[in-house]
Amino acid sequence: LATTNVTIQHNTFINTGRSVRLTNPGTGIIFANNACYSQRGEAINAPSGLAGVTLGGNVTFGTIPSGITTVAGTGLGDFVNVSWNGLNRNAAPSASSPLKGAGIPTQATEWDLGFRLRTTPHTSGSYR
């Protein structure tokens, strides 16, 4: 069965291996304004393809499927204080982070993880 009508917006996924796996996406899937970082693997994995998935504003570090466009992340320096082992978890964007301004306004949520109002230009990931 295909997964349908799911919105995945403004999340931060950080993992040593695969960051995100989108399996069997159907209609009505939105995957936008996320930060997907993999230390040594796939930032986004989509074994059955991404046909019909609305994509945009995602920032990635690691490999991605061919044919999709994302903003290239530069590593954990894109965040204030994050570690691959999960001991440091401040995933707010650093001063020079490519997350800043990478989000697309049409898929922006109103509030960030810290309950701060999002304003333009929109930042990808969990924090504004």
Side-chain angles (χ1 to χ4, degrees):
L1 288 171
T3 302
T4 60
N5 301 318
V6 175
T7 300
I8 305 162
Q9 294 171 298
H10 286 292
N11 293 283
T12 300
F13 303 98
I14 299 172
N15 195 8
T16 56
R18 178 184 302 132
S19 177
V20 173
R21 181 178 173 98
L22 300 172
T23 306
N24 202 21
T27 59
I29 303 295
I30 298 170
F31 190 80
N33 297 346
N34 298 294
C36 306
Y37 282 60
S38 171
Q39 182 181 25
R40 58 180 181 271
E42 299 163 303
I44 298 174
N45 173 276
S48 54
L50 293 167
V53 176
T54 300
L55 295 162
N58 297 301
V59 179
T60 57
F61 181 78
T63 61
I64 58 172
S66 63
I68 70 166
T69 301
T70 66
V71 173
T74 61
L76 294 187
D78 297 348
F79 305 97
V80 170
N81 186 17
V82 170
S83 60
W84 293 114
N85 64 10
L87 293 176
N88 301 316
R89 294 180 236 151
N90 185 345
S94 62
S96 61
S97 178
L99 295 163
K100 292 184 172 186
I104 55 174
T106 56
Q107 298 299 334
T109 58
E110 187 174 4
W111 305 95
D112 78 352
L113 186 63
F115 300 104
R116 290 177 297 268
L117 188 64
R118 289 189 187 271
T119 57
T120 57
H122 292 287
T123 297
S124 294
S126 302
Y127 293 95
R128 65 177 174 119

